[in-house]
CSV table of all heavy atoms in Angstrom, one decimal:
chain,number,residue,atom,x,y,z
R,1,SER,N,-7.5,7.4,5.6
R,1,SER,CA,-8.3,8.2,4.7
R,1,SER,C,-9.0,7.3,3.7
R,1,SER,O,-10.1,7.7,3.2
R,1,SER,CB,-7.4,9.2,4.0
R,1,SER,OG,-6.4,8.5,3.3
R,2,THR,N,-8.5,6.2,3.4
R,2,THR,CA,-9.2,5.2,2.5
R,2,THR,C,-10.4,4.6,3.1
R,2,THR,O,-11.4,4.5,2.5
R,2,THR,CB,-8.2,4.1,2.0
R,2,THR,OG1,-7.0,4.8,1.4
R,2,THR,CG2,-8.9,3.3,0.9
R,3,PHE,N,-10.3,4.3,4.4
R,3,PHE,CA,-11.4,3.8,5.2
R,3,PHE,C,-12.5,4.9,5.2
R,3,PHE,O,-13.7,4.5,5.1
R,3,PHE,CB,-11.0,3.4,6.6
R,3,PHE,CG,-10.3,2.2,6.7
R,3,PHE,CD1,-9.5,1.9,7.8
R,3,PHE,CD2,-10.3,1.2,5.7
R,3,PHE,CE1,-8.7,0.7,7.9
R,3,PHE,CE2,-9.6,0.0,5.8
R,3,PHE,CZ,-8.8,-0.2,6.9
R,4,ALA,N,-12.1,6.1,5.3
R,4,ALA,CA,-13.1,7.2,5.4
R,4,ALA,C,-14.0,7.3,4.2
R,4,ALA,O,-15.1,7.8,4.2
R,4,ALA,CB,-12.4,8.5,5.7
R,5,LEU,N,-13.5,6.9,3.0
R,5,LEU,CA,-14.2,6.9,1.8
R,5,LEU,C,-15.0,5.7,1.5
R,5,LEU,O,-15.6,5.6,0.4
R,5,LEU,CB,-13.2,7.3,0.6
R,5,LEU,CG,-12.6,8.7,0.7
R,5,LEU,CD1,-11.5,8.8,-0.4
R,5,LEU,CD2,-13.7,9.7,0.5
R,6,GLY,N,-15.0,4.7,2.3
R,6,GLY,CA,-15.8,3.5,2.1
R,6,GLY,C,-15.2,2.2,2.1
R,6,GLY,O,-15.9,1.2,1.9
R,7,ALA,N,-13.8,2.1,2.2
R,7,ALA,CA,-13.2,0.8,2.1
R,7,ALA,C,-13.4,0.0,3.4
R,7,ALA,O,-13.4,0.6,4.5
R,7,ALA,CB,-11.7,1.0,1.8
R,8,ASP,N,-13.4,-1.3,3.3
R,8,ASP,CA,-13.5,-2.2,4.4
R,8,ASP,C,-12.1,-2.7,4.8
R,8,ASP,O,-11.8,-3.1,5.9
R,8,ASP,CB,-14.4,-3.4,4.1
R,8,ASP,CG,-15.8,-3.0,4.0
R,8,ASP,OD1,-16.4,-2.5,5.0
R,8,ASP,OD2,-16.4,-3.3,2.9
R,9,TRP,N,-11.2,-2.8,3.8
R,9,TRP,CA,-9.8,-3.1,4.0
R,9,TRP,C,-9.0,-2.5,2.9
R,9,TRP,O,-9.5,-2.0,1.9
R,9,TRP,CB,-9.6,-4.6,4.1
R,9,TRP,CG,-9.4,-5.3,2.8
R,9,TRP,CD1,-8.2,-5.5,2.1
R,9,TRP,CD2,-10.4,-6.0,2.0
R,9,TRP,NE1,-8.4,-6.3,1.0
R,9,TRP,CE2,-9.7,-6.6,0.9
R,9,TRP,CE3,-11.8,-6.2,2.2
R,9,TRP,CZ2,-10.4,-7.3,-0.1
R,9,TRP,CZ3,-12.4,-7.0,1.2
R,9,TRP,CH2,-11.8,-7.5,0.1
R,10,VAL,N,-7.6,-2.5,3.1
R,10,VAL,CA,-6.7,-2.0,2.1
R,10,VAL,C,-5.7,-3.0,1.7
R,10,VAL,O,-5.3,-3.9,2.5
R,10,VAL,CB,-6.0,-0.7,2.5
R,10,VAL,CG1,-7.0,0.4,2.8
R,10,VAL,CG2,-5.1,-0.9,3.7
R,11,ASN,N,-5.2,-3.0,0.5
R,11,ASN,CA,-4.1,-3.8,0.1
R,11,ASN,C,-2.9,-2.8,-0.1
R,11,ASN,O,-3.1,-1.8,-0.7
R,11,ASN,CB,-4.4,-4.5,-1.3
R,11,ASN,CG,-5.5,-5.5,-1.2
R,11,ASN,OD1,-5.8,-6.0,-0.1
R,11,ASN,ND2,-6.1,-5.9,-2.3
R,12,SER,N,-1.8,-3.2,0.3
R,12,SER,CA,-0.6,-2.4,0.2
R,12,SER,C,0.6,-3.2,-0.4
R,12,SER,O,0.9,-4.3,0.2
R,12,SER,CB,-0.2,-1.8,1.5
R,12,SER,OG,1.0,-1.0,1.4
R,13,ALA,N,1.1,-2.8,-1.5
R,13,ALA,CA,2.3,-3.5,-2.1
R,13,ALA,C,3.5,-2.6,-2.1
R,13,ALA,O,4.6,-3.0,-1.7
R,13,ALA,CB,2.0,-3.9,-3.5
R,14,ARG,N,3.3,-1.3,-2.4
R,14,ARG,CA,4.4,-0.4,-2.6
R,14,ARG,C,5.2,-0.2,-1.3
R,14,ARG,O,6.5,-0.3,-1.3
R,14,ARG,CB,3.9,1.0,-3.1
R,14,ARG,CG,5.0,1.9,-3.6
R,14,ARG,CD,4.3,3.1,-4.2
R,14,ARG,NE,3.4,2.8,-5.2
R,14,ARG,CZ,3.5,3.1,-6.5
R,14,ARG,NH1,4.6,3.8,-6.9
R,14,ARG,NH2,2.6,2.8,-7.4
R,15,GLY,N,4.6,0.0,-0.2
R,15,GLY,CA,5.3,0.1,1.1
R,15,GLY,C,6.1,-1.0,1.4
R,15,GLY,O,7.3,-0.9,1.9
R,16,PHE,N,5.6,-2.2,1.2
R,16,PHE,CA,6.4,-3.4,1.5
R,16,PHE,C,7.6,-3.6,0.5
R,16,PHE,O,8.6,-4.1,0.8
R,16,PHE,CB,5.5,-4.7,1.5
R,16,PHE,CG,4.6,-4.7,2.6
R,16,PHE,CD1,3.3,-4.2,2.5
R,16,PHE,CD2,5.0,-5.2,3.9
R,16,PHE,CE1,2.4,-4.3,3.6
R,16,PHE,CE2,4.2,-5.2,5.0
R,16,PHE,CZ,2.9,-4.7,4.9
R,17,MET,N,7.3,-3.2,-0.8
R,17,MET,CA,8.4,-3.2,-1.7
R,17,MET,C,9.5,-2.3,-1.3
R,17,MET,O,10.7,-2.6,-1.4
R,17,MET,CB,7.9,-2.7,-3.1
R,17,MET,CG,7.0,-3.7,-3.8
R,17,MET,SD,7.8,-5.2,-4.4
R,17,MET,CE,8.6,-4.6,-5.8
R,18,PHE,N,9.2,-1.1,-0.8
R,18,PHE,CA,10.2,-0.2,-0.3
R,18,PHE,C,11.0,-0.8,0.9
R,18,PHE,O,12.2,-0.7,1.0
R,18,PHE,CB,9.5,1.1,0.2
R,18,PHE,CG,9.0,2.0,-0.8
R,18,PHE,CD1,8.1,3.0,-0.5
R,18,PHE,CD2,9.3,1.8,-2.2
R,18,PHE,CE1,7.6,3.8,-1.5
R,18,PHE,CE2,8.8,2.7,-3.2
R,18,PHE,CZ,7.9,3.7,-2.9
R,19,ALA,N,10.2,-1.5,1.8
R,19,ALA,CA,10.9,-2.1,2.9
R,19,ALA,C,11.8,-3.2,2.5
R,19,ALA,O,12.9,-3.4,3.1
R,19,ALA,CB,9.8,-2.7,3.9
R,20,VAL,N,11.5,-3.9,1.4
R,20,VAL,CA,12.4,-4.9,0.8
R,20,VAL,C,13.7,-4.3,0.2
R,20,VAL,O,14.7,-4.9,0.2
R,20,VAL,CB,11.7,-5.8,-0.2
R,20,VAL,CG1,12.6,-6.7,-0.9
R,20,VAL,CG2,10.6,-6.6,0.6
R,21,GLY,N,13.5,-3.0,-0.3
R,21,GLY,CA,14.6,-2.4,-0.9
R,21,GLY,C,14.4,-1.8,-2.3
R,21,GLY,O,15.3,-1.3,-2.9
R,22,CYS,N,13.2,-1.8,-2.8
R,22,CYS,CA,12.8,-1.3,-4.1
R,22,CYS,C,13.1,0.2,-4.1
R,22,CYS,O,12.8,1.0,-3.2
R,22,CYS,CB,11.3,-1.5,-4.4
R,22,CYS,SG,10.8,-0.7,-5.9
R,23,ILE,N,13.8,0.7,-5.2
R,23,ILE,CA,14.1,2.1,-5.3
R,23,ILE,C,13.3,2.7,-6.5
R,23,ILE,O,13.6,3.8,-7.0
R,23,ILE,CB,15.6,2.4,-5.5
R,23,ILE,CG1,16.1,1.6,-6.8
R,23,ILE,CG2,16.4,2.0,-4.3
R,23,ILE,CD1,17.6,2.0,-7.1
R,24,GLN,N,12.3,2.0,-7.0
R,24,GLN,CA,11.5,2.4,-8.2
R,24,GLN,C,12.4,2.7,-9.4
R,24,GLN,O,12.2,3.8,-10.0
R,24,GLN,CB,10.6,3.6,-7.8
R,24,GLN,CG,9.6,3.2,-6.7
R,24,GLN,CD,8.5,4.3,-6.6
R,24,GLN,OE1,7.4,4.0,-7.0
R,24,GLN,NE2,8.8,5.4,-6.0
R,25,ALA,N,13.3,1.9,-9.7
R,25,ALA,CA,14.2,2.1,-10.9
R,25,ALA,C,13.4,1.9,-12.2
R,25,ALA,O,13.9,2.2,-13.2
R,25,ALA,CB,15.4,1.1,-10.8
């Protein structure tokens, strides 16, 4: 959906933080 609005690439931090174990404390 981000590509659909004009982006050429995306940066993702939150998903990888979740994968590491972040619980958003």
Side-chain angles (χ1 to χ4, degrees):
S1 60
T2 305
F3 286 158
L5 292 174
D8 293 300
W9 86 84
V10 300
N11 295 339
S12 177
R14 192 173 305 243
F16 289 96
M17 291 289 285
F18 290 164
V20 171
C22 173
I23 59 172
Q24 296 194 109

